[in-house]
Amino acid sequence: MAQKPSIPKGTRDFSPEEMAKRNYIFDTIREVYALYGFQQIETPAMENLSTLMGKYGEEGDKLLFKILNSGDYLRGIDDAELLSRNTARLQSRLCEKGLRYDLTVPFARYVVQHREELALPFKRYQIQPVWRADRPQRGRYREFYQCDADVVGSESLLNEVELMQIVDEVFSRLGIRVCIKMNNRKILSGIAEVIGEAERITDITVAIDKIDKIGLDGVNAELREKGISETAIAQLQPIITLQGTNGEKLDTIRTVLQDSAVGLKGVEECTYILDHIEGQLRNAVELDLSLARGLNYYTGAIFEVKALDVAIGSITGGGRYDNLTGIFGMPGLSGVGISFGADRIYDVLTTLDLYPKASSTGTQLLFVNFGEAEAAFCLNALRTVRTAGIRAEIYPDAAKMKKQMTYANAKHIPYVGIVGETELEAGKVMLKNMETGEQTLLSVDELVAQLQQ
Amino acid sequence: MAQKPSIPKGTRDFSPEEMAKRNYIFDTIREVYALYGFQQIETPAMENLSTLMGKYGEEGDKLLFKILNSGDYLRGIDDAELLSRNTARLQSRLCEKGLRYDLTVPFARYVVQHREELALPFKRYQIQPVWRADRPQRGRYREFYQCDADVVGSESLLNEVELMQIVDEVFSRLGIRVCIKMNNRKILSGIAEVIGEAERITDITVAIDKIDKIGLDGVNAELREKGISETAIAQLQPIITLQGTNGEKLDTIRTVLQDSAVGLKGVEECTYILDHIEGQLRNAVELDLSLARGLNYYTGAIFEVKALDVAIGSITGGGRYDNLTGIFGMPGLSGVGISFGADRIYDVLTTLDLYPKASSTGTQLLFVNFGEAEAAFCLNALRTVRTAGIRAEIYPDAAKMKKQMTYANAKHIPYVGIVGETELEAGKVMLKNMETGEQTLLSVDELVAQLQQ
C-alpha cells in the first residue's frame, strides 16, 4: 500500500539549509524586538470561528481554513438543511474552529481575554505561522510566518519612533538597504475632507501613486475619469506634484490642509515622528502621500518598507490603529504595530547573497568512522570536543571513506577528524580542513583549541 | 457587536512569562541537538489526509483534526450520500487535509519525498506543535509541541548511544535528575518466542510491571488469569524476579533466551549500548523489561525517561524502528529517534523551581518618562545603551511615576533609569536597582559599564 507522498498545495517543507536561513532572519528580528523591550507571546493555531469571522471582510471569511467538528458533526443538522446545500450556512454548523488568518486579530482577542493580567502599555511580539486558503502562486503560500510587534495601551508617538528604529535596526543587521515610506491616515482623511471627496480617497491615492509613470497630465486625466471634480483636482495639484525634503513636503501639505483639523493633526504627528528619528536611523525615511495601506484599519501613522536593491513589493509594514480591541468589547485602546514579511526578506537576502557564510548551528567537526576501536576513541574525543561547545558528530557506520567524506561535504562540515590505526596508536587526531585540504596531526586538546579560534 | 472572547477547548495562550520558560526548554534542547550534529527541519501544519489516515490506528484516525475543503465542499456529493449520514465516509469527501498528529509520520513523508536531496544518514530535529482531538483534561492538550530528533539511514547502535547522551545532556543542563529506562523490542519478542505466547507479550509486560506493587505471587496470579500456561509462567520466573546490575540482568536474560536468535540479538544490542555509555552519563540507565512502548511500532532499542524528584509519567521517550518509510514506498530504511515532552518538562521545572532567575530576554532597563525634554535625552541614551546590547525601553507616556514603577515591577525589570530636571541638567541618569532600592547617579557610559557587568 505504498503511497506517493506529497504535501497540500501552497504549503512547504523547510530543509535544514532553508531552516538555517529562516532562523537567521527570525533570530535577528527576535533579538531586536527584545532589545526594545517587546515580549513574546503565542496563541493557538485554532481560534473559534466567532473570533475570526467578519474581521477580514467577506473575501477573508472565504479564505479561512475551517476545521470540521469532531465526533458526529452532522448531529443537529436536519435533512432539509443538508439538502439546501447552502455551503456558507452549513459551514457554520459543521465547523466551530478555524486556523488563524493573521496575528493581529488573535492578539486583540488575547489582550481582551487577559486584560486583568496585563500591565499596559503591553509590548508584545509574536512569530508564528498563519493560514489562508488563497489560490497558491509564486511567492504566495497557504501557510506562512508573520513576525509582528505591537504596543497597545499607549497613544504616545514615541512608540511609532521606536518601531521605525526597530525596522532600521533589523535591516541594518541583515545588511539590506531600505527606504522606509511613511504616511498618516489623518493626512489622507484631511485631503478627502478638504476636497469634499471623502469616499474617493483610494482612487485619489492610486492615481497620485502613478505620477512617475504617467506624469501629471496622466494623473489628472485618471482623476477626471474617476469622477473627481475639477475644483478638487485643482486643489490636489500641490499634493500630486509634492516634492522636496520631508520638511518641505510637510510645509506644502500643512498649507493645503489648513482648514482640516484632522489633516493638521496628521501633519503634526508626522512632524513629531520625523523630528525624533532625525539622525537616529541609517536608512532613509520618505514621506509618501500615495501610501495608503489598509485604509479601513489604520487611523494614524502608516509605514511600509521597500528594499533599495531588489525589485520586490513591501517587505515590512505597519501603522497605528485606534480600536482594535473594540470588536471584542474593549473599546478605546490604541495600538501601533509592525509586521516583517519573512518570505520576502528571505528572497531579498538570497538575491543579494547576504546570508552569513559560516553557519551558527551546523556541525563543525565530523569524525570519520574506521571501525570499533577507532570509534571508541572518537566517542571519548567527542565528549571533550562537545564539552567545549563545538558541534560535532561521528559518522555512525564504518562505511567507505568516500561515502563519509561525501556526507561531510553535503552537510557543509568545515573540519573532519580522521582517526585510523596510526592516529589511534599515537592517541591523536588528523584534523582536515575541508576548504583548504590541509591536514594536521593534533591531540584532542590541541584540536579543541584550534576549532575554538 | 461585542463578543466575549475565548479560545477552543484544550488550546492555550502563552504569556510572556510562560514563553520565556518554554523558550528556555526549547533552546536547551535545540542547542544540544545541534551539538550532536542534528539539523532542524519544519513541515507544514496541514498534511494530506491520505498521509495521516491509518497511521495511528482507528482511534488515531478519529482524533485527527480535519480541514473542510475550500469552495463548494459539497460538490460531487449526491443527496443520497448526504442523507446516508455516514460521517466517516462523508468526512473523506468533505476534507482532503488534516492537521499533523505527530512529527514522526510527517518526517517519514519528508524523507521519502525528498530522498534525492538527502545525504544519508539523515539526522534531523523538529520542534513544532501537533494537534489531537483528544478529550481535554489536566495536562492533556489539543495543541502541544513535540521536540523530536531522529536518525534515519543508519543501523549503527552508535546512534542509540548518542541519543542517550543527548537525553543525559539535556536533563543535566536543565538540572533535572532522571533515570533513563531502557529495553529492547527484540528481547520482548524473544521472551514471547521462548514461552510460545507471542501474541500475549503486552499482557506479560503489564503483569511484570506490577511486581513492586503486588509481589511475585500477584504477578503469577495475573498471568494465570490472562491464560498464560503454567509452563510459560515457570519459564518467566527468572525474568519476573530479575534483579541486580544491568550486567547481571543481561546475564540472566541471556540464559532464558538462549534458544531465541532474535532474543539474543536484543541482549547483544543492549550490551553494546550499555558498554558504550559506561562512564559517559551523569544519570543512571536502568534495564527495565517491563518497558514496552508502542510495541507495534518499535523494532529494537526503546527508552523512556522518568524524573527522580517529581511523580509524573515519562518525560522523554524513543526507540528504534525498522520500517518507518515503508508505508510511503521506501522500505528498508532503519531509524531511531527520541521525543522530549515539553509540557511535562515544563511542569517538572516549575515544581522543582529550576528556571534560571535572570531572564535572558526580558528588559534590563526602563527609562522613566518625565516629559518631552527628558524623553528626548533618554532616547539618545537608549541608543547608546542598546548599541551595547542592553535590552532597554522608555515608558512611552509621561504618566505618574507610580504607574511607571508598577509597569517596571510587572515586567520584572531589574533597573530603572530616572532622568528628571536635575539629571537632565547634569546630563546624567539616576540608576535605580529595583531589588535593593539603591540609587546611583551615572553618566550614560558609566551606566552601560555597570549593566554590562
Side-chain angles (χ1 to χ4, degrees), chain A residues 13 36-37 73 77 85 87 109 114 154 156 386 396-397 411, chain B residues 13 36-37 73 77 85 87 109 114 154 156 386 396-397 411:
Chain A
D13 285 325
Y36 280 77
Y73 52 87
I77 307 179
R85 292 178 178 267
T87 49
R109 192 265 311 144
H114 301 276
S154 165
S156 165
R386 286 173 179 150
D397 305 273
K411 268 184 106 166
Chain B
D13 284 325
Y36 280 77
Y73 52 86
I77 306 180
R85 292 176 179 268
T87 50
R109 192 266 310 143
H114 300 277
S154 164
S156 165
R386 286 173 179 151
D397 305 274
K411 267 183 107 165

PDB file of all heavy atoms in Angstrom, chain A residues 13 36-37 73 77 85 87 109 114 154 156 386 396-397 411, chain B residues 13 36-37 73 77 85 87 109 114 154 156 386 396-397 411:
ATOM      1  N   ASP A  13       7.755  22.273   2.826  1.00  0.00           N
ATOM      2  CA  ASP A  13       8.713  21.719   3.775  1.00  0.00           C
ATOM      3  C   ASP A  13       9.907  22.660   3.802  1.00  0.00           C
ATOM      4  O   ASP A  13      10.249  23.251   2.782  1.00  0.00           O
ATOM      5  CB  ASP A  13       9.216  20.350   3.282  1.00  0.00           C
ATOM      6  CG  ASP A  13       8.191  19.245   3.473  1.00  0.00           C
ATOM      7  OD1 ASP A  13       7.456  19.288   4.478  1.00  0.00           O
ATOM      8  OD2 ASP A  13       8.143  18.332   2.631  1.00  0.00           O
ATOM      9  N   TYR A  36      14.295  46.171  22.357  1.00  0.00           N
ATOM     10  CA  TYR A  36      13.389  47.316  22.530  1.00  0.00           C
ATOM     11  C   TYR A  36      12.288  47.027  23.551  1.00  0.00           C
ATOM     12  O   TYR A  36      11.305  47.772  23.641  1.00  0.00           O
ATOM     13  CB  TYR A  36      12.793  47.711  21.174  1.00  0.00           C
ATOM     14  CG  TYR A  36      13.756  48.558  20.353  1.00  0.00           C
ATOM     15  CD1 TYR A  36      14.833  47.967  19.701  1.00  0.00           C
ATOM     16  CD2 TYR A  36      13.631  49.944  20.282  1.00  0.00           C
ATOM     17  CE1 TYR A  36      15.746  48.724  18.977  1.00  0.00           C
ATOM     18  CE2 TYR A  36      14.535  50.717  19.554  1.00  0.00           C
ATOM     19  CZ  TYR A  36      15.587  50.097  18.913  1.00  0.00           C
ATOM     20  OH  TYR A  36      16.483  50.858  18.206  1.00  0.00           O
ATOM     21  N   GLY A  37      12.438  45.949  24.303  1.00  0.00           N
ATOM     22  CA  GLY A  37      11.511  45.689  25.404  1.00  0.00           C
ATOM     23  C   GLY A  37      10.217  44.992  25.030  1.00  0.00           C
ATOM     24  O   GLY A  37       9.269  44.989  25.808  1.00  0.00           O
ATOM     25  N   TYR A  73     -20.452  15.225  13.423  1.00  0.00           N
ATOM     26  CA  TYR A  73     -20.533  16.637  13.012  1.00  0.00           C
ATOM     27  C   TYR A  73     -21.850  16.965  12.318  1.00  0.00           C
ATOM     28  O   TYR A  73     -22.135  18.119  12.064  1.00  0.00           O
ATOM     29  CB  TYR A  73     -19.347  16.997  12.105  1.00  0.00           C
ATOM     30  CG  TYR A  73     -19.156  16.063  10.942  1.00  0.00           C
ATOM     31  CD1 TYR A  73     -19.835  16.268   9.746  1.00  0.00           C
ATOM     32  CD2 TYR A  73     -18.304  14.970  11.047  1.00  0.00           C
ATOM     33  CE1 TYR A  73     -19.673  15.398   8.682  1.00  0.00           C
ATOM     34  CE2 TYR A  73     -18.134  14.098   9.985  1.00  0.00           C
ATOM     35  CZ  TYR A  73     -18.821  14.310   8.807  1.00  0.00           C
ATOM     36  OH  TYR A  73     -18.667  13.458   7.752  1.00  0.00           O
ATOM     37  N   ILE A  77     -28.174  18.839  12.466  1.00  0.00           N
ATOM     38  CA  ILE A  77     -28.453  19.397  11.143  1.00  0.00           C
ATOM     39  C   ILE A  77     -29.501  18.502  10.478  1.00  0.00           C
ATOM     40  O   ILE A  77     -29.246  17.322  10.252  1.00  0.00           O
ATOM     41  CB  ILE A  77     -27.180  19.425  10.273  1.00  0.00           C
ATOM     42  CG1 ILE A  77     -26.040  20.139  11.027  1.00  0.00           C
ATOM     43  CG2 ILE A  77     -27.453  20.082   8.930  1.00  0.00           C
ATOM     44  CD1 ILE A  77     -24.734  20.195  10.265  1.00  0.00           C
ATOM     45  N   ARG A  85     -28.013  22.705   0.689  1.00  0.00           N
ATOM     46  CA  ARG A  85     -26.664  22.907   0.126  1.00  0.00           C
ATOM     47  C   ARG A  85     -26.222  24.369   0.215  1.00  0.00           C
ATOM     48  O   ARG A  85     -25.492  24.850  -0.648  1.00  0.00           O
ATOM     49  CB  ARG A  85     -26.611  22.428  -1.325  1.00  0.00           C
ATOM     50  CG  ARG A  85     -26.753  20.918  -1.442  1.00  0.00           C
ATOM     51  CD  ARG A  85     -26.762  20.431  -2.866  1.00  0.00           C
ATOM     52  NE  ARG A  85     -26.848  18.982  -2.906  1.00  0.00           N
ATOM     53  CZ  ARG A  85     -25.790  18.182  -2.976  1.00  0.00           C
ATOM     54  NH1 ARG A  85     -24.591  18.696  -3.013  1.00  0.00           N
ATOM     55  NH2 ARG A  85     -25.952  16.864  -2.984  1.00  0.00           N
ATOM     56  N   THR A  87     -23.800  26.243   1.382  1.00  0.00           N
ATOM     57  CA  THR A  87     -22.486  25.900   1.948  1.00  0.00           C
ATOM     58  C   THR A  87     -22.028  26.889   3.012  1.00  0.00           C
ATOM     59  O   THR A  87     -21.405  26.497   3.998  1.00  0.00           O
ATOM     60  CB  THR A  87     -21.405  25.804   0.842  1.00  0.00           C
ATOM     61  OG1 THR A  87     -21.487  26.961   0.018  1.00  0.00           O
ATOM     62  CG2 THR A  87     -21.591  24.559   0.002  1.00  0.00           C
ATOM     63  N   ARG A 109      -7.792  39.585  20.530  1.00  0.00           N
ATOM     64  CA  ARG A 109      -8.547  38.650  21.368  1.00  0.00           C
ATOM     65  C   ARG A 109      -7.768  38.353  22.652  1.00  0.00           C
ATOM     66  O   ARG A 109      -8.322  38.337  23.756  1.00  0.00           O
ATOM     67  CB  ARG A 109      -8.784  37.358  20.561  1.00  0.00           C
ATOM     68  CG  ARG A 109      -9.778  36.374  21.135  1.00  0.00           C
ATOM     69  CD  ARG A 109      -9.141  35.284  21.974  1.00  0.00           C
ATOM     70  NE  ARG A 109      -8.018  34.649  21.312  1.00  0.00           N
ATOM     71  CZ  ARG A 109      -6.943  34.236  21.966  1.00  0.00           C
ATOM     72  NH1 ARG A 109      -6.837  34.379  23.278  1.00  0.00           N
ATOM     73  NH2 ARG A 109      -5.940  33.673  21.314  1.00  0.00           N
ATOM     74  N   HIS A 114      -7.151  38.561  28.387  1.00  0.00           N
ATOM     75  CA  HIS A 114      -6.205  38.568  29.517  1.00  0.00           C
ATOM     76  C   HIS A 114      -6.029  39.966  30.112  1.00  0.00           C
ATOM     77  O   HIS A 114      -5.011  40.240  30.738  1.00  0.00           O
ATOM     78  CB  HIS A 114      -4.850  38.028  29.062  1.00  0.00           C
ATOM     79  CG  HIS A 114      -4.900  36.635  28.528  1.00  0.00           C
ATOM     80  ND1 HIS A 114      -4.853  35.522  29.338  1.00  0.00           N
ATOM     81  CD2 HIS A 114      -5.025  36.161  27.262  1.00  0.00           C
ATOM     82  CE1 HIS A 114      -4.931  34.423  28.590  1.00  0.00           C
ATOM     83  NE2 HIS A 114      -5.041  34.791  27.332  1.00  0.00           N
ATOM     84  N   SER A 154      -1.077  52.692  24.640  1.00  0.00           N
ATOM     85  CA  SER A 154      -0.333  53.949  24.701  1.00  0.00           C
ATOM     86  C   SER A 154      -0.543  54.708  23.408  1.00  0.00           C
ATOM     87  O   SER A 154      -0.392  54.155  22.318  1.00  0.00           O
ATOM     88  CB  SER A 154       1.158  53.687  24.906  1.00  0.00           C
ATOM     89  OG  SER A 154       1.895  54.863  24.617  1.00  0.00           O
ATOM     90  N   SER A 156       1.200  57.424  22.789  1.00  0.00           N
ATOM     91  CA  SER A 156       2.428  58.191  22.570  1.00  0.00           C
ATOM     92  C   SER A 156       3.058  57.868  21.213  1.00  0.00           C
ATOM     93  O   SER A 156       3.157  56.707  20.811  1.00  0.00           O
ATOM     94  CB  SER A 156       3.428  57.865  23.676  1.00  0.00           C
ATOM     95  OG  SER A 156       4.714  58.308  23.311  1.00  0.00           O
ATOM     96  N   ARG A 386      32.648  18.318  22.549  1.00  0.00           N
ATOM     97  CA  ARG A 386      31.313  18.878  22.773  1.00  0.00           C
ATOM     98  C   ARG A 386      31.252  19.652  24.076  1.00  0.00           C
ATOM     99  O   ARG A 386      30.547  20.654  24.160  1.00  0.00           O
ATOM    100  CB  ARG A 386      30.266  17.752  22.776  1.00  0.00           C
ATOM    101  CG  ARG A 386      29.965  17.207  21.389  1.00  0.00           C
ATOM    102  CD  ARG A 386      29.060  15.999  21.474  1.00  0.00           C
ATOM    103  NE  ARG A 386      28.730  15.469  20.153  1.00  0.00           N
ATOM    104  CZ  ARG A 386      28.477  14.186  19.911  1.00  0.00           C
ATOM    105  NH1 ARG A 386      28.511  13.300  20.908  1.00  0.00           N
ATOM    106  NH2 ARG A 386      28.181  13.788  18.689  1.00  0.00           N
ATOM    107  N   PRO A 396      28.069   7.324  11.836  1.00  0.00           N
ATOM    108  CA  PRO A 396      27.707   6.197  12.704  1.00  0.00           C
ATOM    109  C   PRO A 396      28.170   4.831  12.203  1.00  0.00           C
ATOM    110  O   PRO A 396      28.291   3.905  12.993  1.00  0.00           O
ATOM    111  CB  PRO A 396      26.176   6.276  12.777  1.00  0.00           C
ATOM    112  CG  PRO A 396      25.759   7.093  11.609  1.00  0.00           C
ATOM    113  CD  PRO A 396      26.885   8.016  11.302  1.00  0.00           C
ATOM    114  N   ASP A 397      28.404   4.710  10.899  1.00  0.00           N
ATOM    115  CA  ASP A 397      28.807   3.409  10.372  1.00  0.00           C
ATOM    116  C   ASP A 397      30.235   3.459   9.829  1.00  0.00           C
ATOM    117  O   ASP A 397      30.679   4.500   9.345  1.00  0.00           O
ATOM    118  CB  ASP A 397      27.849   2.987   9.241  1.00  0.00           C
ATOM    119  CG  ASP A 397      26.414   2.984   9.692  1.00  0.00           C
ATOM    120  OD1 ASP A 397      25.959   1.971  10.232  1.00  0.00           O
ATOM    121  OD2 ASP A 397      25.741   4.049   9.536  1.00  0.00           O
ATOM    122  N   LYS A 411      26.828  18.134   4.100  1.00  0.00           N
ATOM    123  CA  LYS A 411      26.391  18.882   5.281  1.00  0.00           C
ATOM    124  C   LYS A 411      27.224  20.146   5.498  1.00  0.00           C
ATOM    125  O   LYS A 411      27.040  20.840   6.494  1.00  0.00           O
ATOM    126  CB  LYS A 411      26.499  17.988   6.534  1.00  0.00           C
ATOM    127  CG  LYS A 411      25.206  17.230   6.864  1.00  0.00           C
ATOM    128  CD  LYS A 411      25.317  16.430   8.152  1.00  0.00           C
ATOM    129  CE  LYS A 411      24.540  17.054   9.311  1.00  0.00           C
ATOM    130  NZ  LYS A 411      24.377  16.114  10.451  1.00  0.00           N
TER     131      LYS A 411
ATOM    132  N   ASP B  13      -3.151  29.995  25.347  1.00  0.00           N
ATOM    133  CA  ASP B  13      -2.318  31.153  25.065  1.00  0.00           C
ATOM    134  C   ASP B  13      -1.081  31.030  25.934  1.00  0.00           C
ATOM    135  O   ASP B  13      -1.170  30.538  27.067  1.00  0.00           O
ATOM    136  CB  ASP B  13      -3.038  32.444  25.477  1.00  0.00           C
ATOM    137  CG  ASP B  13      -4.132  32.845  24.497  1.00  0.00           C
ATOM    138  OD1 ASP B  13      -3.959  32.613  23.288  1.00  0.00           O
ATOM    139  OD2 ASP B  13      -5.146  33.406  24.950  1.00  0.00           O
ATOM    140  N   TYR B  36      25.165  17.737  18.711  1.00  0.00           N
ATOM    141  CA  TYR B  36      25.343  16.352  18.264  1.00  0.00           C
ATOM    142  C   TYR B  36      25.130  16.209  16.754  1.00  0.00           C
ATOM    143  O   TYR B  36      24.991  15.093  16.240  1.00  0.00           O
ATOM    144  CB  TYR B  36      24.386  15.421  19.038  1.00  0.00           C
ATOM    145  CG  TYR B  36      24.925  15.084  20.412  1.00  0.00           C
ATOM    146  CD1 TYR B  36      24.854  16.009  21.451  1.00  0.00           C
ATOM    147  CD2 TYR B  36      25.543  13.865  20.671  1.00  0.00           C
ATOM    148  CE1 TYR B  36      25.370  15.726  22.705  1.00  0.00           C
ATOM    149  CE2 TYR B  36      26.062  13.571  21.928  1.00  0.00           C
ATOM    150  CZ  TYR B  36      25.979  14.505  22.936  1.00  0.00           C
ATOM    151  OH  TYR B  36      26.500  14.217  24.183  1.00  0.00           O
ATOM    152  N   GLY B  37      25.078  17.332  16.043  1.00  0.00           N
ATOM    153  CA  GLY B  37      25.028  17.262  14.584  1.00  0.00           C
ATOM    154  C   GLY B  37      23.655  17.062  13.981  1.00  0.00           C
ATOM    155  O   GLY B  37      23.540  16.715  12.810  1.00  0.00           O
ATOM    156  N   TYR B  73     -17.678  22.723  -0.991  1.00  0.00           N
ATOM    157  CA  TYR B  73     -17.201  21.449  -0.446  1.00  0.00           C
ATOM    158  C   TYR B  73     -18.234  20.327  -0.610  1.00  0.00           C
ATOM    159  O   TYR B  73     -17.928  19.174  -0.336  1.00  0.00           O
ATOM    160  CB  TYR B  73     -16.824  21.615   1.033  1.00  0.00           C
ATOM    161  CG  TYR B  73     -17.903  22.244   1.882  1.00  0.00           C
ATOM    162  CD1 TYR B  73     -18.903  21.469   2.457  1.00  0.00           C
ATOM    163  CD2 TYR B  73     -17.923  23.626   2.087  1.00  0.00           C
ATOM    164  CE1 TYR B  73     -19.900  22.050   3.222  1.00  0.00           C
ATOM    165  CE2 TYR B  73     -18.909  24.214   2.851  1.00  0.00           C
ATOM    166  CZ  TYR B  73     -19.897  23.427   3.411  1.00  0.00           C
ATOM    167  OH  TYR B  73     -20.890  24.005   4.154  1.00  0.00           O
ATOM    168  N   ILE B  77     -20.967  15.410  -4.089  1.00  0.00           N
ATOM    169  CA  ILE B  77     -21.604  14.540  -3.086  1.00  0.00           C
ATOM    170  C   ILE B  77     -23.105  14.570  -3.368  1.00  0.00           C
ATOM    171  O   ILE B  77     -23.725  15.627  -3.271  1.00  0.00           O
ATOM    172  CB  ILE B  77     -21.335  15.039  -1.656  1.00  0.00           C
ATOM    173  CG1 ILE B  77     -19.821  15.212  -1.435  1.00  0.00           C
ATOM    174  CG2 ILE B  77     -21.942  14.092  -0.626  1.00  0.00           C
ATOM    175  CD1 ILE B  77     -19.448  15.705  -0.054  1.00  0.00           C
ATOM    176  N   ARG B  85     -25.722  10.009   6.018  1.00  0.00           N
ATOM    177  CA  ARG B  85     -25.131  10.438   7.297  1.00  0.00           C
ATOM    178  C   ARG B  85     -24.029   9.498   7.792  1.00  0.00           C
ATOM    179  O   ARG B  85     -23.840   9.312   8.986  1.00  0.00           O
ATOM    180  CB  ARG B  85     -26.207  10.589   8.372  1.00  0.00           C
ATOM    181  CG  ARG B  85     -27.142  11.747   8.075  1.00  0.00           C
ATOM    182  CD  ARG B  85     -28.260  11.847   9.068  1.00  0.00           C
ATOM    183  NE  ARG B  85     -29.101  12.990   8.749  1.00  0.00           N
ATOM    184  CZ  ARG B  85     -28.934  14.206   9.257  1.00  0.00           C
ATOM    185  NH1 ARG B  85     -27.957  14.432  10.117  1.00  0.00           N
ATOM    186  NH2 ARG B  85     -29.727  15.193   8.907  1.00  0.00           N
ATOM    187  N   THR B  87     -20.863   9.506   8.642  1.00  0.00           N
ATOM    188  CA  THR B  87     -19.915  10.605   8.904  1.00  0.00           C
ATOM    189  C   THR B  87     -18.490  10.244   8.523  1.00  0.00           C
ATOM    190  O   THR B  87     -17.735  11.087   8.046  1.00  0.00           O
ATOM    191  CB  THR B  87     -19.962  11.048  10.379  1.00  0.00           C
ATOM    192  OG1 THR B  87     -19.856   9.895  11.204  1.00  0.00           O
ATOM    193  CG2 THR B  87     -21.236  11.796  10.692  1.00  0.00           C
ATOM    194  N   ARG B 109       7.240  10.991   5.725  1.00  0.00           N
ATOM    195  CA  ARG B 109       6.792  11.519   4.439  1.00  0.00           C
ATOM    196  C   ARG B 109       7.870  12.425   3.827  1.00  0.00           C
ATOM    197  O   ARG B 109       8.172  12.360   2.634  1.00  0.00           O
ATOM    198  CB  ARG B 109       5.476  12.282   4.662  1.00  0.00           C
ATOM    199  CG  ARG B 109       4.690  12.671   3.440  1.00  0.00           C
ATOM    200  CD  ARG B 109       4.996  14.064   2.946  1.00  0.00           C
ATOM    201  NE  ARG B 109       4.941  15.074   4.002  1.00  0.00           N
ATOM    202  CZ  ARG B 109       5.760  16.098   4.054  1.00  0.00           C
ATOM    203  NH1 ARG B 109       6.697  16.281   3.127  1.00  0.00           N
ATOM    204  NH2 ARG B 109       5.675  16.985   5.039  1.00  0.00           N
ATOM    205  N   HIS B 114      11.745  13.722  -0.232  1.00  0.00           N
ATOM    206  CA  HIS B 114      12.988  14.448  -0.547  1.00  0.00           C
ATOM    207  C   HIS B 114      14.192  13.510  -0.641  1.00  0.00           C
ATOM    208  O   HIS B 114      15.320  13.955  -0.469  1.00  0.00           O
ATOM    209  CB  HIS B 114      13.241  15.517   0.513  1.00  0.00           C
ATOM    210  CG  HIS B 114      12.147  16.535   0.621  1.00  0.00           C
ATOM    211  ND1 HIS B 114      12.055  17.629  -0.202  1.00  0.00           N
ATOM    212  CD2 HIS B 114      11.070  16.604   1.441  1.00  0.00           C
ATOM    213  CE1 HIS B 114      10.970  18.339   0.118  1.00  0.00           C
ATOM    214  NE2 HIS B 114      10.356  17.732   1.114  1.00  0.00           N
ATOM    215  N   SER B 154      20.747   4.641   9.048  1.00  0.00           N
ATOM    216  CA  SER B 154      21.904   4.017   9.682  1.00  0.00           C
ATOM    217  C   SER B 154      21.421   3.017  10.723  1.00  0.00           C
ATOM    218  O   SER B 154      20.587   3.342  11.562  1.00  0.00           O
ATOM    219  CB  SER B 154      22.784   5.071  10.363  1.00  0.00           C
ATOM    220  OG  SER B 154      23.673   4.442  11.262  1.00  0.00           O
ATOM    221  N   SER B 156      23.562   1.593  12.771  1.00  0.00           N
ATOM    222  CA  SER B 156      24.587   1.569  13.820  1.00  0.00           C
ATOM    223  C   SER B 156      23.994   1.891  15.185  1.00  0.00           C
ATOM    224  O   SER B 156      23.210   2.822  15.351  1.00  0.00           O
ATOM    225  CB  SER B 156      25.675   2.586  13.484  1.00  0.00           C
ATOM    226  OG  SER B 156      26.473   2.837  14.623  1.00  0.00           O
ATOM    227  N   ARG B 386      21.384  50.470  23.915  1.00  0.00           N
ATOM    228  CA  ARG B 386      21.016  49.337  23.063  1.00  0.00           C
ATOM    229  C   ARG B 386      22.169  48.915  22.165  1.00  0.00           C
ATOM    230  O   ARG B 386      22.331  47.723  21.864  1.00  0.00           O
ATOM    231  CB  ARG B 386      19.795  49.694  22.212  1.00  0.00           C
ATOM    232  CG  ARG B 386      18.504  49.705  23.018  1.00  0.00           C
ATOM    233  CD  ARG B 386      17.349  50.224  22.174  1.00  0.00           C
ATOM    234  NE  ARG B 386      16.091  50.235  22.890  1.00  0.00           N
ATOM    235  CZ  ARG B 386      15.102  51.087  22.647  1.00  0.00           C
ATOM    236  NH1 ARG B 386      15.236  52.016  21.695  1.00  0.00           N
ATOM    237  NH2 ARG B 386      13.978  51.032  23.339  1.00  0.00           N
ATOM    238  N   PRO B 396       6.419  54.939  27.350  1.00  0.00           N
ATOM    239  CA  PRO B 396       6.108  55.838  26.228  1.00  0.00           C
ATOM    240  C   PRO B 396       5.362  57.118  26.613  1.00  0.00           C
ATOM    241  O   PRO B 396       5.409  58.098  25.872  1.00  0.00           O
ATOM    242  CB  PRO B 396       5.284  54.971  25.281  1.00  0.00           C
ATOM    243  CG  PRO B 396       4.760  53.854  26.114  1.00  0.00           C
ATOM    244  CD  PRO B 396       5.742  53.634  27.214  1.00  0.00           C
ATOM    245  N   ASP B 397       4.653  57.099  27.730  1.00  0.00           N
ATOM    246  CA  ASP B 397       3.885  58.283  28.122  1.00  0.00           C
ATOM    247  C   ASP B 397       4.467  58.887  29.398  1.00  0.00           C
ATOM    248  O   ASP B 397       4.996  58.186  30.254  1.00  0.00           O
ATOM    249  CB  ASP B 397       2.422  57.893  28.365  1.00  0.00           C
ATOM    250  CG  ASP B 397       1.824  57.189  27.154  1.00  0.00           C
ATOM    251  OD1 ASP B 397       1.346  57.903  26.258  1.00  0.00           O
ATOM    252  OD2 ASP B 397       1.883  55.948  27.095  1.00  0.00           O
ATOM    253  N   LYS B 411       6.828  43.897  34.817  1.00  0.00           N
ATOM    254  CA  LYS B 411       7.672  43.274  33.789  1.00  0.00           C
ATOM    255  C   LYS B 411       8.976  42.721  34.364  1.00  0.00           C
ATOM    256  O   LYS B 411       9.835  42.266  33.629  1.00  0.00           O
ATOM    257  CB  LYS B 411       8.002  44.299  32.688  1.00  0.00           C
ATOM    258  CG  LYS B 411       7.030  44.273  31.504  1.00  0.00           C
ATOM    259  CD  LYS B 411       7.440  45.254  30.403  1.00  0.00           C
ATOM    260  CE  LYS B 411       7.998  44.571  29.166  1.00  0.00           C
ATOM    261  NZ  LYS B 411       8.052  45.464  27.986  1.00  0.00           N
TER     262      LYS B 411
END
